[in-house]
Amino acid sequence: MAGLSSKDISGSRIFVTYRIAGGEKDALASARDICFEQTVEFPDKLIPSDFIRNNVVGKIEQFTPDNAGGFKAIISYAQETAAKELTQLLNLVFGNISIKAGIRVCDIVFPKAFLSGFKGPRFGRKGLRELLSVSGRPLLCAALKPMGLSSCELAELAYECALGGIDIIKDDHGLTNQCFASFQERVKLCAEAVMTANRKTNQKCIYAANVTAPFDEIYKRVEFAKQCGAGAVMIAPGITGFDTMRAIAGDDSIGLPIFSHPAFLGTYLINPDAGISHYVLLGLLNRLAGADAVIYPNYGGRFPFTRRDCEEIIAGTSVDMEHIPLIFPVPGGGISLDKLPELIKFYGQEVIFLIGGGLFTRGDDFIENCRYFRELVVSR
Amino acid sequence: MAGLSSKDISGSRIFVTYRIAGGEKDALASARDICFEQTVEFPDKLIPSDFIRNNVVGKIEQFTPDNAGGFKAIISYAQETAAKELTQLLNLVFGNISIKAGIRVCDIVFPKAFLSGFKGPRFGRKGLRELLSVSGRPLLCAALKPMGLSSCELAELAYECALGGIDIIKDDHGLTNQCFASFQERVKLCAEAVMTANRKTNQKCIYAANVTAPFDEIYKRVEFAKQCGAGAVMIAPGITGFDTMRAIAGDDSIGLPIFSHPAFLGTYLINPDAGISHYVLLGLLNRLAGADAVIYPNYGGRFPFTRRDCEEIIAGTSVDMEHIPLIFPVPGGGISLDKLPELIKFYGQEVIFLIGGGLFTRGDDFIENCRYFRELVVSR
C-alpha cells in the first residue's frame, strides 16, 4: 500500500514525439503542458511530492523546430504510467490533449519492458504468407459488396473470386448483421464457397469475415466465423476500440489472422496539425493491437491519402518493434487495375493489394477479371 | 436466403445532417458521394439492382447553404442498414467518410424503430438524483488525483471529499491499474472511505471508479467495483469503444450509473470542418450508449471549448429521444470556485459541476474547501 517509490519505477520510458503548431514560446508552453495534462492532470505547484514530480510527470527530452512548421517535442513517460494496458497507453499518449488544438502525435518509441506485455500479431507478413503458401509476389485481396446483396449472392461472388485466384476475400466492412444478409448466414455460405473453390483450384484462398460488432457479440461472431472455416477476420478498431482487436488477436483459442479496417479513424489522420500520424495510428498501434494486415486508402484513389502518407504506413508496418512482427500494408480505396504496374513499383512485394469496385469494371466475366488482376501481379 | 426485398425495409430512416465545406458544386458532389460511400461503397453504375439503389444507398433529403459557410446536407439511411448495432451505426454515419476532408456530422435524428433497440441510460438525470437524494440544486463532483499517490492517500482524499459534502467522487481518468495504486486496492479503499464518511454525514455520496480498461478486464473491474460498494463507474468510450459502455450500461446484473469521459475523442470535436459535433458525439451518442452523465471541459477553462460548444452538449443531453432519458452535463477541465456563480447562471440546476485541481487551491483544509464548494452551489 505504499505510494510510488523507486521500486515502482524501472527507468524504462515511452518516448512520444508530438508536433506542436505555433511559435516557439507557445509551442514550448504547450509541450510543458502536455507533460502534466497527460499524467498528473494537476498544476505543478499542487503536486504533493518531488518523487511524483520527477517520476510521474512527463519529461521534455527534446524540443526542436519542425521542417513542416511548428516544433517537435519528444516527451517521455515512465512506462509504469501506462500500466501495461493498451487502453491506458492511448490515454497517456493522447487522452486529454486530443481536446487541445495544434498537437499531433508523430512517433512513439516503446521500451522493451512495455512491448514485452504484448503478443502483437499472431501471423504478421511471414505467417500470413505461410498460411497462404504464397511467396515472391504481392498478395491479392478482393471485397464482397455491395450491401443489399443476399448471402447467396455474396457467397457466389466469393466463389468466383477464389476461382479467379484471389488470396484473401474480405467482407465489405459495412456488412455486419443486416436482416437481408445476416452474419451467420453470410459467413457460413461465404466460407463454404471459398473452401469449395479451394478444392477445385488447390489454392489456399481465405475468407476474412467482418466481425466488427457490439461488445457482447464480437467474440461470438469470431468463434462462429472460425467454426465455419473462415480463414481470417476483419475488425475496425476505430469502432470497437483497439484493445478489442488485441484481445482477439492474443486469444490462442481463436488463432485467426486479423485485418484491421480504418473506418471511423480518418479524423485522427487527415488534419496534419492534429490527431495521430499515419505511421503511429495505422502502423505502430495496429501492430501493438495484433493486426496482421492494415487496410487503408491508397494515394490517388477516392480518398485524400498522399504518397507520403502511404510511405509512413509502410514504415509503421515494418519498423523494428522487438518481438512484434512486421505486418502487411493493404492499400485499397479505389485502386484500379491499370494502376497496378505503378503500385508494384511503389510497394514492392511486401504488400496486399485490395481491389473492390475496380474488379467489376473491366468486363462482365468476374472470374476473368480476378485472373487478370492476378496475372498483372504474378507476371511482374 | 432471399436478398433485400420490400419486407426488409420498414421505411424508417435515420437522418444525418452533415456540414460540408466548399462551394455548392463540390459540396453537392460530396453529399452524393456520402450516400454511396457509407452504404454500398460502390459506383452507381455497378449497383446490381434498382432495389438496392433505392433502398440501401443514402438519400439526400435536403441541401442548403450553412450560416457558418459551406452547405448542410441531410442524408437519410434505411434504419436496417445500421443493423440495430451501435457499432454499425457509427460506421454508417461516419466510417469511411471520416477519411475525407471537409465533412462534419452535425445532427442525427433516429427513428423510433432504431431507438427501440437501445435501453439508453439506466438512471439519467432523474434516476441519479433519486440515487443521491438530491433535488433542487446542481450536483457536485470531485476528482481523485494526482496519479502517483498511493491507494491509501487517494482513499483519504475520497473520505475528505465525502465529509465535505461532495455528491460524486470520481477517479482521475488516468488512474487505471498502475503498480503504485492497483485497481483493486484503490477501488476497495476508496469505496470503503466514502461509505465510512456517509455513515458520519448521513449523506449518499457515491464513488465512481474508473473502469476504462482492456477488453478482457473491463467487466471484471466493473464487477469488482460493484462488489466493493462503488456507487458508479467511469468509462472513456473513445478508448474502449462506445459499445463497450452500452453493454455495461444495459447489463441488469451491474446496474450502476455511468460517467462518460471524453479522453481521446477531442480530435473529432475541435476542428469545426471535420469530425462530429459536440451535440452528436458527447450528447446523442453518449445517451444511446447508456451514459448517465457526460464529462467534458467547460468553456473558459484550460481547454478550447466555447460557450456555444457547451450549449450544444446541453442540448444533446436533453433533446427528445423517445424513451431514452435526459442525462447530466458534467462540465470540468479547469473550473475554479470563483467561476461558480457565473456557471450556475449558465447551466441552471440540471448540471453536475466537476472541480478537480480547483478544490486544492483555496487553502490547506481540503474538507473546508469542499464545504465551500457546496455552499456556493447550495446557497444559490
Side-chain angles (χ1 to χ4, degrees):
Chain A
M1 282 202 216
L4 182 68
S5 70
S6 54
K7 77 172 169 41
D8 296 319
I9 297 292
S10 61
S12 290
R13 297 182 75 78
I14 299 167
F15 291 79
V16 184
T17 304
Y18 298 97
R19 196 170 65 231
I20 305 174
E24 183 164 1
K25 196 179 156 197
D26 288 346
L28 186 57
S30 177
R32 287 190 178 127
D33 171 65
I34 291 170
C35 297
F36 290 84
E37 188 68 54
Q38 295 305 99
T39 54
V40 290
E41 220 189 312
F42 220 43
D44 192 1
K45 64 179 183 208
L46 292 179
I47 292 175
S49 82
D50 279 344
F51 200 83
I52 291 177
R53 187 174 287 108
N54 295 334
N55 291 284
V56 175
V57 177
K59 281 182 194 163
I60 301 177
E61 304 279 353
Q62 202 182 87
F63 182 81
T64 48
D66 184 58
N67 296 335
F71 288 79
K72 273 203 172 163
I74 300 178
I75 294 177
S76 75
Y77 304 101
Q79 73 107 2
E80 288 78 6
T81 58
K84 302 184 181 176
E85 298 167 341
L86 179 53
T87 42
Q88 170 57 9
L89 175 80
L90 297 180
N91 180 50
L92 177 70
V93 169
F94 200 53
N96 265 11
I97 54 163
S98 72
I99 314 175
K100 295 190 174 182
I103 302 170
R104 184 170 176 92
V105 177
C106 294
D107 192 6
I108 309 178
V109 176
F110 301 100
K112 200 168 182 170
F114 184 78
L115 289 180
S116 68
F118 291 83
K119 288 189 182 176
R122 184 174 293 270
F123 294 87
R125 290 184 188 176
K126 191 161 165 286
L128 207 51
R129 282 198 180 280
E130 282 168 12
L131 192 74
L132 295 163
S133 295
V134 175
S135 60
R137 64 161 172 85
L139 298 173
L140 314 179
C141 183
L144 302 177
K145 57 171 79 175
M147 186 195 289
L149 291 183
S150 68
S151 299
C152 278
E153 290 165 325
L154 292 164
E156 177 62 25
L157 273 179
Y159 180 73
E160 294 182 358
C161 285
L163 279 191
I166 303 297
D167 300 303
I168 301 139
I169 299 161
K170 75 166 197 68
D171 284 332
D172 212 10
H173 71 288
L175 304 180
T176 62
N177 190 31
Q178 282 84 4
C179 55
F180 39 89
S182 75
F183 179 81
Q184 293 208 349
E185 184 187 70
R186 178 184 86 246
V187 169
K188 187 168 180 292
L189 293 178
C190 290
E192 278 171 6
V194 169
M195 290 187 286
T196 304
N198 279 345
R199 283 193 289 273
K200 284 204 177 184
T201 59
N202 273 322
Q203 293 182 14
K204 293 185 175 176
C205 172
I206 58 175
Y207 163 58
N210 177 31
V211 297
T212 306
F215 178 85
D216 35 9
E217 270 288 317
I218 190 165
Y219 242 86
K220 294 178 203 164
R221 293 199 192 166
V222 173
E223 283 164 356
F224 184 83
K226 185 182 163 84
Q227 279 166 26
C228 291
V233 294
M234 181 172 73
I235 300 175
I239 291 173
T240 64
F242 272 87
D243 199 74
T244 304
M245 189 160 78
R246 181 206 56 78
I248 291 166
D251 188 333
D252 293 338
S253 75
I254 303 296
L256 293 178
I258 295 184
F259 286 72
S260 170
H261 191 283
F264 213 72
L265 288 175
T267 311
Y268 292 109
L269 298 165
I270 60 175
N271 174 357
D273 287 334
I276 306 175
S277 69
H278 299 71
Y279 174 78
V280 168
L281 189 66
L282 298 185
L284 307 190
L285 292 179
N286 266 314
R287 280 169 82 191
L288 204 57
D292 298 286
V294 48
I295 298 166
Y296 61 90
N298 194 45
Y299 67 87
R302 62 183 197 275
F303 292 87
F305 278 27
T306 64
R307 281 176 71 106
R308 175 78 197 114
D309 297 336
C310 295
E311 284 164 358
E312 268 201 26
I313 296 166
I314 298 167
T317 63
S318 55
V319 66
D320 178 44
M321 285 176 79
E322 301 285 348
H323 64 286
I324 310 276
L326 279 53
I327 65 173
F328 274 113
V330 189
I335 287 186
S336 56
L337 290 166
D338 61 331
K339 285 270 183 64
L340 274 175
E342 175 199 332
L343 295 181
I344 292 169
K345 273 188 203 149
F346 181 77
Y347 282 102
Q349 300 208 339
E350 292 308 308
V351 61
I352 302 175
F353 290 122
L354 165 59
I355 302 201
L359 268 186
F360 292 82
T361 51
R362 185 167 169 263
D364 288 341
D365 187 337
F366 188 65
I367 300 177
E368 195 47 51
N369 296 350
C370 293
R371 286 186 180 136
Y372 179 73
F373 175 22
R374 184 173 166 123
E375 195 51 43
L376 278 174
V377 171
V378 171
S379 65
R380 292 277 143 180
Chain B
M1 280 202 216
L4 181 69
S5 70
S6 54
K7 76 172 168 42
D8 296 319
I9 298 291
S10 61
S12 289
R13 298 182 72 80
I14 299 167
F15 290 80
V16 184
T17 305
Y18 298 96
R19 196 170 64 233
I20 305 174
E24 183 164 2
K25 195 179 157 197
D26 288 346
L28 187 57
S30 177
R32 286 189 179 128
D33 172 65
I34 291 170
C35 297
F36 289 85
E37 189 68 54
Q38 295 306 98
T39 53
V40 291
E41 221 191 312
F42 219 44
D44 192 2
K45 64 178 182 208
L46 292 179
I47 293 175
S49 81
D50 279 344
F51 200 82
I52 291 178
R53 186 175 287 108
N54 295 333
N55 291 285
V56 175
V57 176
K59 280 183 195 162
I60 301 176
E61 304 280 354
Q62 201 181 87
F63 182 81
T64 48
D66 184 58
N67 296 335
F71 288 79
K72 274 204 171 162
I74 300 178
I75 294 177
S76 74
Y77 304 100
Q79 73 108 2
E80 288 79 5
T81 59
K84 303 184 182 175
E85 299 167 340
L86 180 53
T87 42
Q88 170 58 8
L89 175 79
L90 297 180
N91 180 51
L92 177 71
V93 170
F94 200 53
N96 265 11
I97 55 164
S98 72
I99 314 175
K100 296 190 175 182
I103 302 169
R104 184 170 176 93
V105 178
C106 294
D107 191 8
I108 309 178
V109 176
F110 300 101
K112 200 168 182 170
F114 183 78
L115 289 180
S116 68
F118 292 83
K119 287 189 183 175
R122 184 174 293 269
F123 296 86
R125 292 184 187 176
K126 192 161 165 285
L128 206 51
R129 283 196 179 281
E130 283 169 12
L131 192 72
L132 295 163
S133 293
V134 176
S135 59
R137 65 163 171 85
L139 299 173
L140 314 179
C141 183
L144 302 177
K145 55 170 81 178
M147 185 194 292
L149 291 183
S150 70
S151 299
C152 278
E153 291 166 324
L154 292 163
E156 178 60 26
L157 273 179
Y159 180 73
E160 295 183 359
C161 284
L163 279 191
I166 303 296
D167 300 303
I168 301 140
I169 300 161
K170 74 165 197 70
D171 285 331
D172 212 12
H173 72 288
L175 304 179
T176 62
N177 190 31
Q178 283 83 5
C179 55
F180 39 90
S182 74
F183 179 80
Q184 293 207 351
E185 185 186 71
R186 178 183 87 246
V187 170
K188 187 166 179 291
L189 293 178
C190 290
E192 278 172 7
V194 170
M195 289 187 287
T196 304
N198 279 345
R199 283 191 290 271
K200 285 203 176 187
T201 60
N202 273 323
Q203 292 181 16
K204 293 186 177 175
C205 172
I206 58 174
Y207 164 58
N210 177 30
V211 297
T212 305
F215 178 85
D216 35 10
E217 271 289 318
I218 190 165
Y219 243 85
K220 293 178 204 164
R221 294 200 191 165
V222 174
E223 283 165 355
F224 183 83
K226 185 183 165 83
Q227 279 166 26
C228 291
V233 294
M234 181 173 72
I235 300 175
I239 291 174
T240 64
F242 272 86
D243 199 75
T244 304
M245 189 161 78
R246 180 206 56 78
I248 291 166
D251 188 334
D252 293 337
S253 75
I254 304 297
L256 292 178
I258 295 184
F259 287 72
S260 170
H261 191 283
F264 213 73
L265 287 176
T267 311
Y268 292 108
L269 298 165
I270 60 176
N271 174 357
D273 287 335
I276 305 175
S277 70
H278 299 70
Y279 174 77
V280 169
L281 188 65
L282 298 185
L284 306 190
L285 292 179
N286 267 315
R287 280 169 82 191
L288 205 56
D292 298 287
V294 49
I295 297 166
Y296 61 89
N298 194 45
Y299 68 87
R302 62 182 199 276
F303 292 88
F305 278 27
T306 64
R307 280 175 72 105
R308 176 77 198 114
D309 296 337
C310 295
E311 285 164 358
E312 267 201 27
I313 296 165
I314 298 167
T317 64
S318 55
V319 66
D320 178 45
M321 285 176 79
E322 302 284 349
H323 65 286
I324 310 277
L326 278 53
I327 65 173
F328 273 113
V330 189
I335 286 185
S336 56
L337 290 166
D338 61 332
K339 286 269 184 62
L340 274 175
E342 175 198 334
L343 295 181
I344 293 169
K345 274 190 204 149
F346 181 77
Y347 283 102
Q349 301 209 339
E350 293 307 309
V351 61
I352 302 175
F353 290 122
L354 164 59
I355 302 200
L359 268 187
F360 292 82
T361 51
R362 184 167 170 264
D364 287 341
D365 186 336
F366 188 65
I367 300 176
E368 196 45 52
N369 296 351
C370 293
R371 285 184 182 138
Y372 180 72
F373 174 23
R374 184 170 165 126
E375 197 50 43
L376 279 175
V377 171
V378 171
S379 64
R380 294 277 141 180

